Amino acid sequence: MGDYELVLVEEYELLGEKRYRFQLKGTSIFLNVSANNVEEAREKARRMVREIQLDALLRYIAAQTEQKTAS
């Protein structure tokens, strides 16, 4: 999955639809997806992270932080 971890925070039903809420561990970023089960939901959340290039942004921020602490 890369440099981030998705933590399942909540499972709920809304208008007859199963929904899952994930947090990107170590951040205040949450992703909400609908799915039939938690595995499908986690894959949808991972795909969402890749599609909006959030994984690349998190790697960039981590690299910048490491660079500042090394100086």
Side-chain angles (χ1 to χ4, degrees):
M1 188 167 70
D3 301 320
Y4 62 93
E5 183 179 343
L6 291 170
V7 178
L8 180 62
V9 175
E10 181 180 16
E11 290 183 44
Y12 59 99
E13 195 168 313
L14 180 64
L15 302 172
E17 184 177 68
K18 231 4 206 177
R19 308 233 5 125
Y20 299 85
R21 180 178 168 115
F22 293 95
Q23 179 182 19
L24 271 94
K25 189 174 183 174
T27 73
S28 58
I29 299 170
F30 293 86
L31 302 163
N32 293 293
V33 297
S34 65
N36 294 320
N37 56 58
V38 71
E39 293 83 18
E40 180 185 345
R42 190 175 307 273
E43 184 53 41
K44 280 186 171 184
R46 286 180 182 147
R47 193 170 36 244
M48 187 184 306
V49 167
R50 286 189 305 269
E51 286 176 4
I52 64 174
Q53 298 180 350
L54 188 54
D55 54 343
L57 178 61
L58 292 173
R59 280 193 299 273
Y60 175 78
I61 291 170
Q64 294 298 312
T65 303
E66 286 178 21
Q67 208 172 45
K68 286 181 182 178
T69 55
S71 299

